[in-house]
Amino acid sequence: MLFDAEFWVAVAFVVFCGIAWKMGLFDQIIGGLDKRGARVRKELDEARRLREEAEAVLADYKRRRSEAEREAAEIVANARAEAEAAAAEGHARLNEFVARRTKAAETKIAQAEAQAAADVRAAAAEAAVRVSETILREKVSGDAAQDLVRRSLGEVRTRLRA
């Protein structure tokens, strides 16, 4: 067993560990590992801080996006309401305009009808006066007859025009 390779490897390992311990190599290895652990911990803390910042920025952008969507929805709703109000107002104005024009047309028609009726009555009165005058001239003679015809014609004219 003294000449086995494993035995000599074990002896060399123990001697190496003893020399390394005497020279302070273990302290340097532990110090290096501690420094590396501290650096890794610092990097993890920095990554955690950056992640929290990114989450805060993401939450802010999500909040802004929802606000912008809400504002856009309000703008669309307001625009739609204004358009509907404008359409209703335009419709009301159009109805009012049509009603005014219809009333004006009806008034003009009524005036034209009244004027036509007056013209027909005047023409009928004139024709009746002429016919009466012709008949009376043929049948009545003398100054008294002429006087009677004139008075009668005047009365007929005034009654027919009234």
Side-chain angles (χ1 to χ4, degrees):
M1 164 138 133
L2 212 47
F3 296 108
D4 277 346
E6 288 116 10
F7 172 73
W8 289 109
V9 168
V11 169
F13 181 70
V14 170
V15 170
F16 173 74
C17 285
I19 293 172
W21 182 65
K22 275 290 197 184
M23 292 180 71
L25 194 60
F26 287 125
D27 291 335
Q28 287 179 359
I29 291 173
I30 290 173
L33 288 175
D34 285 343
K35 285 180 186 176
R36 183 174 172 125
R39 192 176 73 226
V40 168
R41 192 173 304 111
K42 184 178 174 185
E43 287 176 1
L44 286 174
D45 290 342
E46 180 70 16
R48 188 175 301 116
R49 186 185 63 79
L50 290 175
R51 179 175 176 225
E52 289 172 357
E53 282 182 17
E55 287 175 349
V57 168
L58 178 65
D60 185 47
Y61 281 126
K62 284 183 179 179
R63 181 185 54 79
R64 286 183 184 177
R65 178 180 166 204
S66 66
E67 286 177 3
E69 287 175 352
R70 182 177 41 81
E71 287 178 13
E74 287 177 7
I75 289 170
V76 168
N78 289 340
R80 194 170 279 141
E82 288 176 7
E84 289 173 358
E89 181 181 343
H91 188 65
R93 280 184 170 175
L94 181 63
N95 287 341
E96 180 182 323
F97 175 74
V98 168
R100 277 195 323 249
R101 295 296 272 182
T102 303
K103 186 175 180 182
E106 288 172 351
T107 303
K108 284 183 180 181
I109 290 170
Q111 288 173 351
E113 286 176 351
Q115 183 64 38
D119 290 346
V120 167
R121 268 185 278 163
E126 193 65 35
V129 167
R130 283 188 191 148
V131 168
S132 300
E133 186 179 342
T134 305
I135 292 173
L136 288 176
R137 277 194 187 150
E138 290 176 0
K139 299 218 176 177
V140 178
S141 60
D143 289 335
Q146 289 297 327
D147 223 13
L148 178 64
V149 169
R150 281 188 200 121
R151 278 186 299 171
S152 298
L153 289 177
E155 284 180 30
V156 169
R157 282 185 183 149
T158 56
R159 288 184 183 173
L160 285 176
R161 289 188 181 174

